């Protein structure tokens, strides 16, 4: 079994690759990643450079790079590569359209030319838009796509292209849409690692708006095991939602981080809200549970202590990031949102 994993040096893709290599899910894995600001080969260091996987630095928008990674013997493509941060897409959307839309189409074209047996497209529940706070409704796979941010719109576009390749050209493809992930090696611009690492540094935790926005938290390990099951058991042309049955308001997560780290709650500082900030995500994963046999593990409340320990024990990893590529962006964001 030979696989190509795009975005395998990022947060979720690297968790997938580390687990797949460790547990022997495939004979050979090619990681194709451009190493943008979010890609980091340190995320793959725990598995070492051994037989079973190789790394190719390449851009999914460049057909030559994609052709170098995908062979006629490639059994499956797991497509994680993306520009993934909503706030960055609000500052500038061009890279999101390029990578998430054009890059996905380049992969689909090469997958078809090379006769790849299955294309697993990693999408997000953000394509559905926002739910109301005072409602019990959740996103299902038939909820109409109604994305809010440029990030979500670019992911929805990619989903349509994948389904179009499936319907028009008979490509075997499966789409997964997971809610918010947390876990080790998450780039510290995202909410949870940003708040944990700022708290460890004793710097302010910038809470957008009133902090009542709700996210449905899924551990990255549950997500990637769902992706694996979608490859193994999913129906071609099907979409599978993954959600944690774990809706939490941002302000409650922030309070819990402060409590677990024994830092001053005054570090949580309200800043200007994100434009068109989706108020609530909640994802119904019944179909994945029924058809894929997917079951999420313990909820975030039980896993936050171990996650905090991980960031405490991997200070070099996130401090290098914060001192490097990330610093300019953070100063720009925090400057814009600060009082
Ligand atoms: P990430 O930003 O941590 O990693 C993205 C990776 O893609 C990086 O390694 C980067 O170098 C690579 N990449 C970016 N542009 C590329 C290009 N043009 N060519 C090749 N590689 C490129 O993202 P993540 O949080 O790991 O998300 C992975 C996937 O999961 C994305 O498709 C995202 O939409 C989806 N997703 C994320 C979440 C979440 O909570 N983070 C939830 C649901 C779905
Ligand atoms: P984020 O991690 O950017 O994921 P997404 O926007 O894709 O859900 O943000 C999660 C939530 O945390 C979202 O409601 C925005 C909020 N948030 C803050 O309050 N402060 C921050 O500094 C960040 C990055 C996010």
């Amino acid at each position: 079994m030979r696989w190509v994993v795009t975005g395998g040096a990022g947060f979720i893709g690297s968790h997938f690759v580390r687990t797949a290599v460790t547990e022997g899910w495939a004979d050979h894995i090619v990681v194709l990643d451009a190493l943008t600001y979010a890609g980091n080969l340190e995320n793959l260091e725990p598995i070492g450079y051994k037989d079973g996987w190789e790394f190719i630095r390449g851009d999914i928008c460049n057909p030559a790079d994609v052709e170098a990674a995908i062979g006629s013997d490639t059994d499956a493509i797991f497509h994680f590569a993306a520009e993934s941060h909503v706030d960055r897409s609000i500052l500038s959307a061009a890279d999101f359209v390029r990578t998430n839309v054009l890059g996905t189409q380049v992969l689909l074209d090469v997958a078809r030319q090379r006769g790849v047996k299955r294309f697993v497209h990693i999408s997000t529940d953000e394509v559905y838009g926002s739910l109301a706070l005072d409602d019990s409704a959740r996103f299902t796979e038939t909820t109409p796509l109604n994305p809010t941010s440029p990030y979500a719109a670019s992911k929805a576009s990619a989903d349509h292209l994948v389904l179009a390749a499936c319907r028009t050209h008979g490509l075997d493809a499966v789409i997964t849409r997971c809610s918010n992930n947390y876990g080790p090696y998450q780039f510290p611009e995202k909410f949870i690692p940003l708040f944990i690492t700022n708290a460890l540094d004793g710097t302010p935790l910038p809470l957008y708006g009133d902090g009542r926005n709700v996210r449905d938290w899924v551990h990255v390990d549950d997500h990637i095991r769902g992706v694996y099951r979608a490859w193994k058991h999913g129906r071609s042309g099907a979409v599978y939602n993954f959600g944690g049955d774990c809706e939490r308001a941002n302000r409650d997560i922030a309070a819990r981080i402060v409590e677990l780290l024994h830092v001053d709650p005054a570090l949580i500082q309200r800043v200007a809200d994100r434009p068109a900030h989706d108020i609530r995500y909640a994802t119904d994963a019944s179909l994945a549970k029924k058809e894929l046999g997917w079951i999420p593990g313990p909820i975030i409340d039980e896993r936050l202590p171990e996650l905090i320990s991980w960031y405490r024990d991997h200070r070099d990893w996130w401090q290098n990031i914060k001192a490097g590529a990330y610093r300019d962006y953070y100063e720009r964001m925090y400057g814009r949102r600060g009082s």
Side-chain angles (χ1 to χ4, degrees):
M1 194 61 61
R2 295 179 75 82
W3 290 354
V4 171
V5 178
T6 73
F11 163 50
I12 304 171
S14 71
H15 197 92
F16 182 87
V17 173
R18 290 193 307 272
T19 309
V21 169
T22 306
E23 299 189 6
W25 290 354
D27 301 310
H28 190 79
I29 295 176
V30 175
V31 175
L32 175 65
D33 196 298
L35 297 181
T36 66
Y37 80 94
N40 187 346
L41 284 177
E42 284 179 38
N43 300 358
L44 293 167
E45 265 176 16
I47 48 175
Y49 293 95
K50 58 184 177 193
D51 289 350
W53 75 281
E54 66 183 290
F55 179 78
I56 295 180
R57 185 170 191 178
D59 182 347
I60 59 165
C61 303
N62 179 352
D65 289 355
V66 173
E67 283 160 6
I70 299 173
S72 53
D73 57 352
T74 300
D75 294 286
I77 297 172
F78 292 86
H79 177 31
F80 291 90
E83 288 294 336
S84 69
H85 192 41
V86 171
D87 291 321
R88 286 184 190 256
S89 79
I90 294 168
L91 288 173
S92 173
D95 284 348
F96 288 73
V97 176
R98 185 179 175 278
T99 287
N100 300 359
V101 184
L102 174 65
T104 299
Q105 187 58 48
V106 170
L107 284 168
L108 290 167
D109 289 342
V110 177
R112 207 155 56 80
Q113 286 156 17
R114 296 279 153 94
V116 173
K117 295 196 185 71
R118 175 152 273 198
F119 189 99
V120 184
H121 177 63
I122 317 313
S123 187
T124 164
D125 69 340
E126 297 191 31
V127 297
Y128 298 120
S130 185
L131 296 161
L133 261 192
D134 57 357
D135 193 357
S136 58
R138 296 194 292 172
F139 301 130
T140 70
E141 289 81 358
T142 56
T143 300
L145 304 197
N146 186 23
T148 306
S149 69
Y151 161 69
S154 69
K155 294 294 291 187
S157 308
D159 288 17
H160 284 308
L161 290 171
V162 173
L163 291 175
C166 200
R167 290 173 187 143
T168 309
H169 300 295
L171 183 79
D172 182 317
V174 181
I175 296 179
T176 65
R177 294 187 183 137
C178 189
S179 55
N180 288 66
N181 282 208
Y182 64 97
Y185 296 105
Q186 186 169 25
F187 196 87
E189 67 187 350
K190 302 277 168 46
F191 175 59
I192 288 184
L194 177 70
F195 274 38
I196 292 174
T197 57
N198 280 16
L200 285 167
D201 269 347
T203 56
L205 317 186
L207 187 67
Y208 296 168
D210 61 12
R212 290 169 73 226
N213 306 66
V214 167
R215 296 293 181 264
D216 177 1
W217 292 100
V218 174
H219 193 277
V220 64
D221 193 60
D222 292 331
H223 182 186
I224 61 102
R225 288 178 192 282
V227 168
Y228 174 71
R229 283 177 174 272
W231 164 73
K232 206 171 165 81
H233 305 296
R235 281 176 290 114
S236 181
V239 174
Y240 295 98
N241 284 351
F242 300 120
D245 295 328
C246 183
E247 293 178 52
R248 297 287 178 272
N250 294 340
R251 61 187 182 190
D252 295 336
I253 295 280
R256 186 76 182 125
I257 288 170
V258 158
E259 184 189 341
L260 286 167
L261 279 165
H262 308 291
V263 295
D264 185 352
L267 277 181
I268 302 174
Q269 291 180 10
R270 286 192 185 183
V271 297
D273 208 351
R274 172 186 282 172
H277 190 173
D278 286 343
I279 189 72
R280 175 174 163 254
Y281 299 148
T283 305
D284 183 344
S286 307
L287 190 68
K289 288 176 184 168
K290 185 168 154 238
E291 290 195 6
L292 309 179
W294 180 73
I295 306 167
I299 57 173
I300 191 167
D301 311 71
E302 292 167 48
R303 282 168 146 169
L304 254 188
E306 86 192 13
L307 184 65
I308 286 173
S309 298
W310 188 90
Y311 281 95
R312 201 184 253 131
D313 294 344
H314 292 77
R315 202 174 256 278
D316 284 353
W317 178 84
W318 56 264
Q319 279 187 333
N320 286 342
I321 291 171
K322 283 187 155 184
Y326 171 67
R327 196 182 52 207
D328 291 348
Y329 163 78
Y330 185 70
E331 281 168 3
R332 203 146 57 107
M333 278 299 296
Y334 199 58
R336 187 168 73 82
R337 292 183 186 286
S339 51

